[in-house]
Amino acid sequence: MARTSSLSGFTEWLPEERLVELHLLDTLREVFERHGFASLESRAVETVETLLQKGEIDKEIYAISRMQDDQASARDARLALHFDLTVPFARYVVDNAGYLRFPFRRYQIQKVWRGERPQDGRYREFTQADVDIVGDGALPFRADVELAVVMATALEALRIGDFRMRINNRKLSEGFYRLLGLDDSAAVMRAIDKLEKIGPQKVTEELQTQAGADVEQARRALALAEIRTAGTEFLHQARALAADLDGNSALFEEGLSELSEVMEQMERRVPGRAQADLSIARGLDYYTGTVYETVLIGHEDLGSICSGGRYESLASKGSRTFPGVGLSIGVTRLVSRLLAVQQLRADRSVPTVVYLALRDEESWPQAQDVAEILRARGISAEVALTAEKLGKQIRHADRRGIPFVWFTDASGAHEVKDIRSGEQVPADPHTWQPPTEDLAPAIIADGPASAEPSAD
Amino acid sequence: MARTSSLSGFTEWLPEERLVELHLLDTLREVFERHGFASLESRAVETVETLLQKGEIDKEIYAISRMQDDQASARDARLALHFDLTVPFARYVVDNAGYLRFPFRRYQIQKVWRGERPQDGRYREFTQADVDIVGDGALPFRADVELAVVMATALEALRIGDFRMRINNRKLSEGFYRLLGLDDSAAVMRAIDKLEKIGPQKVTEELQTQAGADVEQARRALALAEIRTAGTEFLHQARALAADLDGNSALFEEGLSELSEVMEQMERRVPGRAQADLSIARGLDYYTGTVYETVLIGHEDLGSICSGGRYESLASKGSRTFPGVGLSIGVTRLVSRLLAVQQLRADRSVPTVVYLALRDEESWPQAQDVAEILRARGISAEVALTAEKLGKQIRHADRRGIPFVWFTDASGAHEVKDIRSGEQVPADPHTWQPPTEDLAPAIIADGPASAEPSAD
């Protein structure tokens, strides 16, 4: 696409590109609903106070204000556009706790906005697709397992190629650091989080300068982060690293056990898609257990296409807390890449299956009668607005990828032409049936990446 | 609903309410696509300059600005949230004209924002559903006919009760005013537009004081506006009013002819839904021909639930103009009312068909195996997260309206219970099939209004 958007950082799709996005969103919705997740939307607008509760992100926020009526605006709370769907969902749960049933499974597919410099493929407006399970007071750990399986199942259904969900558990990491004698877990994780960006040498230095580690502690912390295995092989490697360490290993063991359960069920239900990756930390500080990131194989430069984790207190209302686990797909960046490499494309730009040509201007109502018969049978039909030369009408349909053109002559006899083959046959609108695969625009997956998990 | 929203003017639905909204949106989408309309979304953000092109609406606009980095913000164009979908669509057409095929049919379902005082059921954030047909240089009049039929078909499919699409044509009104000798058509229409609000007496006064009409001119202008007929009966009444007037009647006749064609096709295709109402003017000044408003019978106080019209120049790019015709449904206000009067409701709050109970904590993976078999067969299934007492698990499903609970015993034998009837029978996950009507949440229409057109 040589198109440039007229406002930097704000992408808009052409109709045929929108069909690809819509197909992905429909697929996600179908998978989420098949697993019992309810649809939800939250308002796009939050108070600035709500948005800032979770940390230092104010420079990314778009504030909104009424253009006129300044006095009234001053009376209003300071408002801003949401920058993700997690913070609004937490606020929604608190607002509506009395009307919801817990554990509450919801999916939410909406635009979010970030006032960032639109560089490096960053968007100022983009669509996220989130799934969360939230409990009232408590949420069993196996919600973490369920969520990973649901999302991996959804990603498989998208036919976007192979992907790897990289999973860790903060209890495991933090428990190990404590055994090591490193008490500032946050500082350790901040350093470890940079492993892919700055490499092991610099991480080692940072562990020593920022997290108070000695050479051996830094070596071991780094060694833990370098564990990446399929299935539960990570267990033996992590335990070996901790074998000679004294102290309370309860948190470490709890993390090992949780991660094992996630990995076992992932191997059983979506084999080849999960990797235990003990370097995953996730920047946001409210995660407390399982953390997830996902790379699209062959597109590692995109960064994580789907991330999230467990938070012991997603939200709270007085003494009542709502623990949750969530995963979020960055849809716009994903669609943008899949379109750019032509891995997914739509075979037409409109939903139309049959284009009804006009033999003369007066035949429009008759053509609409025929179209109505087809539509009532679930066949998308569009009638030409003017009786141009037939060749021109056929070309107009062809250019938009509409597969069939319909002709009705003055005697009321019908013929339908398959534009692709050129074949034209007599047809009855009450019984003629296009091939099932022509009933909706097809989304063709023909990129280089295989949909099967690669052996690695 | 006794709930109040935590931010005035911003409504959020509960899961069971969202299902009603989703049902309406899905139905609209299905009807629009069946008629060949392509899905489109535009960015939520426009430059203030774009938004102000069409008139004086700046006090309703929400401006956006990056909260920090003031210098960078100053360099950015002044940005604001869109307040409808017509202006953004016009801008989109100009931006992408080289990539679109005309006539271009699109539907667009998105949130819009208005910085209004949230009084009288006005929303600051609400969803609109628009359909437009836009041409390049020219657009045949019958696009106006097609659009009215498509939208009336969609409104019928919504099962929201009886409605009346009130249709006029500005050429008809303006042509008549000219015949009358009233040249300031805009002033006449502004007065006539207030007929329902201020009554005929005050409109007569305003025609005299604001539009330069004498007593007889005012009487006739008002008399035209009072014509409301089914079918094409308006023709005789309007012509009778103009019978003794000299002058060029070409515009008047063109308007009569166009409105007749719309009414004839409406009577033929969606009988009982259209009314020729010669008082309809529509405030926005860019309409140039057909204008539409729609009242929901029994809910006239809602105002028009679906409005639009023909614009000879929706957009222009140099000397190239793009005429269009569009209709827009205010979805949020409609959903809000239908929920408030319980005319539409969902029979459950989740998509789940089968809730798989746990006999003990260890049986969770086995229950997930069963759930996967059901899901693969298109049956939405959810597994309990904890092995609470069975009665409690059943109640948890029942409260959310899930119709079936599934039990698997230690020997692997399955039973399924219909919570509504209490009937419990042996079942095989590979073959058991719930009734088709249970496969998705049902949206029940049981309000006072009949879905059939009322005789009036």
Side-chain angles (χ1 to χ4, degrees):
Chain A
M1 281 296 134
R3 285 187 314 134
T4 53
S5 70
S6 59
L7 209 55
S8 183
F10 294 87
T11 290
E12 293 182 316
W13 305 125
L14 292 173
E16 59 271 29
E17 296 171 333
R18 168 67 178 160
L19 282 170
V20 170
E21 181 185 51
L22 210 48
H23 169 75
L24 295 193
L25 298 180
D26 286 345
T27 303
L28 292 175
R29 174 180 169 184
E30 194 277 319
V31 173
F32 297 156
E33 292 185 350
R34 189 149 36 97
H35 288 79
F37 286 72
S39 173
L40 211 68
E41 289 196 341
S42 61
R43 49 178 155 81
V45 170
E46 299 289 337
T47 63
V48 171
E49 189 189 7
T50 297
L51 293 181
L52 296 185
Q53 269 168 5
K54 294 287 179 186
E56 303 286 322
I57 37 69
D58 48 349
K59 71 165 172 279
E60 296 179 3
I61 296 182
Y62 271 121
I64 71 167
S65 56
R66 295 163 68 199
M67 276 191 65
Q68 299 211 333
D69 203 1
D70 290 336
Q71 288 186 310
S73 293
R75 282 196 303 272
D76 291 341
R78 282 174 75 213
L79 301 178
L81 298 175
H82 57 210
F83 57 83
D84 74 1
L85 301 176
T86 303
V87 173
F89 178 56
R91 193 263 317 144
Y92 176 97
V93 165
V94 170
D95 277 2
N96 298 290
Y99 300 89
L100 302 173
R101 306 248 168 228
F102 298 93
F104 177 44
R105 292 169 175 83
R106 83 88 178 77
Y107 72 91
Q108 190 168 344
I109 299 175
Q110 278 182 266
K111 301 272 172 61
V112 304
W113 295 269
R114 296 187 186 175
E116 299 185 275
R117 298 262 109 213
Q119 60 203 358
D120 311 324
R122 291 197 176 193
Y123 295 103
R124 292 183 155 190
E125 174 181 73
F126 56 98
T127 299
Q128 286 197 331
D130 281 31
V131 279
D132 284 80
I133 308 176
V134 62
D136 181 2
L139 181 70
F141 161 72
R142 58 172 63 111
D144 300 28
V145 182
E146 177 183 330
L147 203 74
V149 172
V150 170
M151 195 52 116
T153 303
L155 289 170
E156 284 190 340
L158 293 183
R159 298 184 302 155
I160 54 176
D162 189 21
F163 62 89
R164 196 74 71 253
M165 195 177 279
R166 301 158 67 193
I167 310 176
N168 191 14
N169 190 298
R170 285 207 176 179
K171 294 175 189 171
L172 188 167
S173 303
E174 196 176 328
F176 181 76
Y177 305 150
R178 285 197 207 160
L179 278 174
L180 268 182
L182 292 169
D183 291 328
D184 189 353
S185 295
V188 180
M189 278 193 256
R190 267 197 302 278
I192 295 292
D193 203 24
K194 298 178 187 166
L195 187 54
E196 289 204 353
K197 275 187 205 146
I198 63 175
Q201 188 58 44
K202 293 222 160 146
V203 168
T204 303
E205 285 167 25
E206 196 162 318
L207 284 168
Q208 293 175 266
T209 58
Q210 306 294 320
D214 62 25
V215 173
E216 174 61 11
Q217 286 170 324
R219 188 192 65 79
R220 292 227 204 176
L222 190 63
L224 187 81
E226 284 175 332
I227 296 176
R228 292 174 195 202
T229 76
T232 54
E233 291 158 45
F234 73 92
L235 270 181
H236 317 288
Q237 298 182 28
R239 286 211 175 100
L241 265 185
D244 61 338
L245 298 174
D246 292 326
N248 185 344
S249 63
L251 190 65
F252 179 57
E253 285 296 332
E254 189 180 338
L256 288 172
S257 161
E258 289 189 355
L259 185 54
S260 297
E261 194 173 332
V262 174
M263 290 302 298
E264 272 168 19
Q265 292 295 323
M266 287 290 278
E267 271 311 294
R268 175 166 167 180
R269 302 185 187 283
V270 278
R273 304 302 189 184
Q275 179 182 52
D277 182 335
L278 275 50
S279 73
I280 301 296
R282 303 294 306 149
L284 290 166
D285 55 9
Y286 49 79
Y287 293 122
T288 52
T290 312
V291 281
Y292 319 86
E293 286 190 5
T294 311
V295 290
L296 188 59
I297 307 298
H299 300 281
E300 288 78 2
D301 59 309
L302 272 182
S304 176
I305 59 164
C306 174
S307 313
R310 152 72 73 145
Y311 19 67
E312 263 331 297
S313 179
L314 167 67
S316 59
K317 188 176 187 175
S319 63
R320 197 171 166 194
T321 63
F322 301 93
V325 58
L327 272 165
S328 175
I329 302 181
V331 175
T332 302
R333 197 163 47 166
L334 185 60
V335 170
S336 179
R337 173 61 63 91
L338 296 171
L339 289 171
V341 300
Q342 299 186 293
Q343 191 164 325
L344 288 183
R345 62 184 173 84
D347 70 346
R348 52 197 205 244
S349 63
V350 289
T352 315
V353 181
V354 177
Y355 188 74
L356 293 101
L358 294 184
R359 64 175 187 281
D360 54 40
E361 293 296 338
E362 289 63 44
S363 63
W364 185 83
Q366 184 191 21
Q368 282 289 1
D369 291 343
V370 178
E372 274 182 30
I373 296 167
L374 293 170
R375 290 175 191 135
R377 298 177 51 230
I379 300 166
S380 174
E382 181 187 323
V383 176
L385 281 174
T386 44
E388 296 176 303
K389 283 183 185 165
L390 281 185
K392 204 170 170 189
Q393 294 186 55
I394 294 169
R395 264 200 308 283
H396 180 62
D398 190 28
R399 280 186 180 141
R400 293 179 298 154
I402 298 172
F404 296 97
V405 182
W406 191 280
F407 308 95
T408 305
D409 72 16
S411 74
H414 307 283
E415 293 202 343
V416 65
K417 180 191 189 80
D418 184 326
I419 302 183
R420 297 158 300 189
S421 68
E423 190 190 18
Q424 185 168 332
V425 294
D428 178 341
H430 293 95
T431 56
W432 175 79
Q433 191 64 37
T436 307
E437 62 270 25
D438 285 337
L439 277 174
I443 306 301
I444 299 160
D446 53 5
S450 156
E452 294 301 307
S454 56
D456 67 355
Chain B
M1 279 297 134
R3 284 187 316 135
T4 54
S5 70
S6 59
L7 209 54
S8 182
F10 294 87
T11 290
E12 292 183 314
W13 305 125
L14 292 174
E16 57 272 29
E17 297 171 331
R18 168 66 178 160
L19 281 171
V20 170
E21 180 184 53
L22 210 48
H23 169 75
L24 295 192
L25 297 179
D26 286 345
T27 303
L28 292 175
R29 173 181 169 184
E30 194 278 318
V31 174
F32 298 156
E33 291 185 350
R34 191 150 33 98
H35 289 79
F37 286 73
S39 173
L40 213 67
E41 289 197 339
S42 61
R43 48 178 155 79
V45 170
E46 299 288 337
T47 64
V48 171
E49 189 189 8
T50 296
L51 293 180
L52 295 184
Q53 270 169 3
K54 293 286 177 186
E56 302 285 321
I57 36 70
D58 47 350
K59 72 165 172 279
E60 297 179 0
I61 296 181
Y62 270 122
I64 71 167
S65 56
R66 297 164 67 199
M67 277 190 63
Q68 299 213 332
D69 204 0
D70 290 335
Q71 288 189 307
S73 294
R75 283 195 304 272
D76 290 342
R78 281 174 76 213
L79 301 178
L81 298 176
H82 59 210
F83 57 84
D84 75 1
L85 302 176
T86 303
V87 173
F89 177 55
R91 193 263 317 144
Y92 176 96
V93 166
V94 170
D95 277 3
N96 298 289
Y99 300 89
L100 302 173
R101 306 247 169 228
F102 298 94
F104 177 43
R105 292 168 175 85
R106 82 90 176 76
Y107 72 91
Q108 190 167 345
I109 299 175
Q110 278 183 265
K111 301 272 173 59
V112 304
W113 295 267
R114 295 186 188 177
E116 299 185 276
R117 299 261 109 213
Q119 60 204 358
D120 311 325
R122 291 200 175 192
Y123 296 103
R124 292 183 156 191
E125 174 181 74
F126 56 98
T127 298
Q128 286 197 331
D130 282 30
V131 278
D132 284 81
I133 308 176
V134 62
D136 181 1
L139 181 70
F141 161 72
R142 56 173 61 113
D144 299 28
V145 183
E146 177 182 329
L147 203 74
V149 172
V150 170
M151 196 53 115
T153 303
L155 290 170
E156 284 190 342
L158 293 183
R159 300 184 302 155
I160 54 177
D162 191 20
F163 62 89
R164 197 74 69 254
M165 196 176 278
R166 303 158 67 193
I167 310 176
N168 192 13
N169 190 298
R170 286 208 174 178
K171 294 176 189 170
L172 188 167
S173 304
E174 195 176 328
F176 182 76
Y177 304 149
R178 284 198 208 162
L179 278 173
L180 269 181
L182 292 170
D183 291 330
D184 190 353
S185 297
V188 181
M189 279 193 254
R190 267 196 303 276
I192 294 293
D193 203 23
K194 298 178 188 166
L195 187 54
E196 290 204 352
K197 273 186 206 148
I198 63 177
Q201 188 58 47
K202 293 222 160 149
V203 168
T204 303
E205 285 167 26
E206 196 161 319
L207 285 168
Q208 293 175 267
T209 57
Q210 304 295 318
D214 63 24
V215 173
E216 174 60 11
Q217 287 171 322
R219 188 192 67 77
R220 293 227 204 176
L222 191 63
L224 187 82
E226 285 174 333
I227 296 176
R228 291 175 195 203
T229 75
T232 56
E233 292 157 45
F234 73 92
L235 269 182
H236 317 291
Q237 298 182 28
R239 286 210 175 102
L241 264 185
D244 60 339
L245 298 173
D246 292 329
N248 185 345
S249 64
L251 190 65
F252 179 57
E253 286 297 332
E254 190 180 337
L256 288 172
S257 160
E258 288 190 355
L259 185 54
S260 299
E261 194 172 333
V262 175
M263 290 302 298
E264 273 169 19
Q265 292 296 322
M266 287 292 278
E267 272 310 295
R268 175 166 168 179
R269 303 185 188 283
V270 278
R273 303 302 188 184
Q275 179 182 50
D277 182 334
L278 275 49
S279 73
I280 301 296
R282 304 293 307 147
L284 291 166
D285 56 8
Y286 49 78
Y287 294 123
T288 51
T290 311
V291 281
Y292 319 85
E293 286 189 7
T294 311
V295 289
L296 189 60
I297 307 297
H299 299 282
E300 289 77 3
D301 61 307
L302 271 182
S304 177
I305 59 165
C306 174
S307 313
R310 153 72 74 143
Y311 19 67
E312 263 330 297
S313 179
L314 168 67
S316 60
K317 188 176 188 175
S319 62
R320 197 172 167 193
T321 63
F322 301 93
V325 58
L327 272 165
S328 175
I329 301 181
V331 175
T332 302
R333 198 163 47 165
L334 185 61
V335 170
S336 179
R337 173 62 61 94
L338 296 171
L339 289 171
V341 301
Q342 298 187 294
Q343 190 164 325
L344 288 183
R345 61 184 173 82
D347 70 346
R348 51 197 207 243
S349 63
V350 289
T352 315
V353 180
V354 177
Y355 188 74
L356 293 102
L358 293 185
R359 65 174 188 280
D360 53 41
E361 294 297 338
E362 289 63 45
S363 64
W364 185 83
Q366 184 192 23
Q368 282 289 0
D369 290 344
V370 177
E372 273 181 31
I373 295 166
L374 294 169
R375 290 174 191 137
R377 296 177 51 233
I379 300 167
S380 175
E382 180 187 323
V383 177
L385 281 174
T386 45
E388 296 175 303
K389 283 182 184 166
L390 279 185
K392 205 168 171 192
Q393 294 186 56
I394 294 169
R395 264 199 309 284
H396 180 62
D398 190 27
R399 281 186 180 141
R400 294 180 298 155
I402 298 172
F404 296 98
V405 181
W406 191 281
F407 308 95
T408 305
D409 71 15
S411 75
H414 308 284
E415 293 202 344
V416 65
K417 180 191 189 79
D418 184 326
I419 301 185
R420 298 157 301 188
S421 67
E423 190 189 19
Q424 185 167 333
V425 295
D428 177 341
H430 293 96
T431 57
W432 175 81
Q433 190 65 35
T436 306
E437 61 270 24
D438 285 337
L439 277 175
I443 304 303
I444 299 161
D446 53 4
S450 154
E452 293 302 307
S454 56
D456 67 354

